[in-house]
Amino acid sequence: MEFEISYSLDNEQQFWDELEEIVSATCETHELIDNTLRAYLSFTTNYKDEYLQSEYAIARCSYKLLESAVFKAHQDYVRRQIIYGLLQEDTTATLHLIVAFLLFDGRQHEKTFEMMSTEGGFSRLLELVQAKQDGDTALHRMLLELLYEMSRIQRLRTEDLVLIEDEFIIYLLQVIESLSDDVNDPYHYPVIRVLLVLNEQYMVSAHDPGPSQTHRPLPNKVMKVLCESGSIYKTFGENIILVLNRESETSLQLLILKLLYLLFTTSATYEYFYTNDLHVLVDVMIRNLLDLPLTSSALRHTYLRVLYPLLAHTQLRNPECHYKREELLKVLYMMTSSSGAGMMHFGGVDETTKRLVSRCVQVPWLRDAEEQQEKELSKKFLGIGINARAGESSLSVMEVASHKERPGVQTPSRGRDEGNVAAMKDSEIAIRDNIDHGLGNGVSLGNDRDGNGLGELKSPFEVEGEA
C-alpha cells in the first residue's frame, strides 16, 4: 500500500470509531478524496484478520464508506477510483474490501456495474476468479457474485465474451462436481448463477447481434462444454432443477428455463439429465404452471416452450420413462379452458397460450392414438382442432432468449394468495396436492445413474425443433 498510517487499537469498538473518523474527513478535492480512500483501504486491510472476519463485518465496513459524506458528494469519482483499485490490486485482503464495496454499491445502483464494464472490469473478474480459487474462500465467492450481478443487468460486450475460454467453463463445472456431496455448500449457488447468466449472454449475442459483432455468432461455451463432456458434469444439471424448485425470483427462473430450452432442443444434450431428474422437473413445471396467475402470461409461455422439448426429445419419450401423463394433460387443458371445467382464474385465453398448449398435447406419448377422446377434449377445451402442423412453430429461440425480468422481482403465486385458494377447482387442487406431496417429501436427484448416454453429437450450437 502507498498510504500507511500507524494505529494502536485495544478493542473492536476502537476499530469502528477510527474507521468512522477516516470516512468522515472533509474532501473538497480529488487529492483529498484519494487520500481518504487510501486511508480507508489501508486501515481496513491491516485489521481485516482481527476485526473483519465475518460477512456481516465486511458488509458493515462497506456501508461505512457507502453512507459517508465523501461518497454521497462524489459518487462517480469514488466508484471509478475503487474500480481502478480492482483492476490493479493483487493483495487478497484489499481485494476483498474492494469487491465487497462494488458488490453492495452495484446492487443499489446499476450504474456501478455499467461503469465496471466500461473500464474493463469483466476481464479482470474472469482473471481473479481463476487466480484466487485456492485462496480466501469468502473472497472467491464474492468475486463470483460480483461477476454474476455485473453480467445480469446489462448486455456484455462482444470483446468481453470472446475472452471466456472453455477452460473457464470447465473450471466452474468442476467446482460444482467437487461439492456434489453438499448441496447447501455456499459455493453451489454463485457458481451455478454465473454459468446461467453466461449462457443467457451467449443466447442474446447469437440471436440479437450487437453493432460491434460483425462476424458469425460467438460459440456458446456453456453449451459447447455440456455437449462435449456433459456426462461428467451431471451435478450441475441436478442443481439447476433444485434451484428452479426453490426459486421465487422471476429473473433466475428465466435464466434456468433458457438453459433448459437449449439443452432440450440440442440433440447432443437431449439425455443430459438422469431420468429421475426429469421426473422431478416435470413435477416442478406442473406446480409452477398451476401457480402462475393470469398476469404472468410471458413467464407461462416460456415454461410451455420448455415443456414441449422436455416431453418430446428427452428420454421421457420412451415408454418406460413416461411420467405424469394424466396430470400433464389435465393441466394443459385447464390452462386453455374458459368453461367451468377449467381454471376460471386464467380468464380469456390468449392465442399464444393456445398454440403452445396445442403443440405440447401433440407429443406422441401424451396423444394416445387409441383414444379418440383426445380430439374431442382438445376441441372442447382448446377451442381448436388437432392437426399435423401443431408441433411446428414460426417462433424462434429468440422468444426465449429475449424474455427478461428485472433482478429482485418475485414471481406472483396464486398458491401464496390465500384469497385464491377457495376459487380453485377440485381437479386443480388434487393435481397440486399430488405434486406438492412428491416435492415436499424431499427431492432425490440423479438416482438413475445407469450410464444414460448423450445423444448423437452435432454442433453444440445447433438448436433443433420448436423455438
Side-chain angles (χ1 to χ4, degrees), residues 126-141:
L126 288 181
E127 174 190 341
L128 289 173
V129 165
Q130 296 177 90
K132 299 295 182 180
Q133 57 185 282
D134 297 322
D136 187 326
T137 56
L139 168 60
H140 195 243
R141 184 168 65 251

Side-chain angles (χ1 to χ4, degrees), residues 81 83 117 179 210 246 273 292 304 346 436 467:
Q81 294 305 100
I83 291 172
S117 178
L179 302 168
R246 301 170 178 175
F273 293 93
L292 289 175
L304 289 171
F346 278 108
D436 287 346

Side-chain angles (χ1 to χ4, degrees), residues 68-82:
S68 68
V70 63
F71 178 71
K72 291 179 179 178
H74 308 280
Q75 293 187 18
D76 284 350
Y77 183 79
V78 171
R79 286 185 181 115
R80 185 164 277 107
Q81 294 305 100
I82 296 292

Side-chain angles (χ1 to χ4, degrees), residues 63 99 195 200 203 218 325 342 349 360-361 384 467:
Y63 277 96
V99 170
L195 287 165
E200 180 188 52
M203 291 181 72
L218 294 174
R325 176 184 181 277
V349 181
C360 288
V361 299
I384 54 178

Side-chain angles (χ1 to χ4, degrees), residues 34 121 358 410 418:
D34 291 344
S358 177
Q410 300 295 300
E418 295 182 359

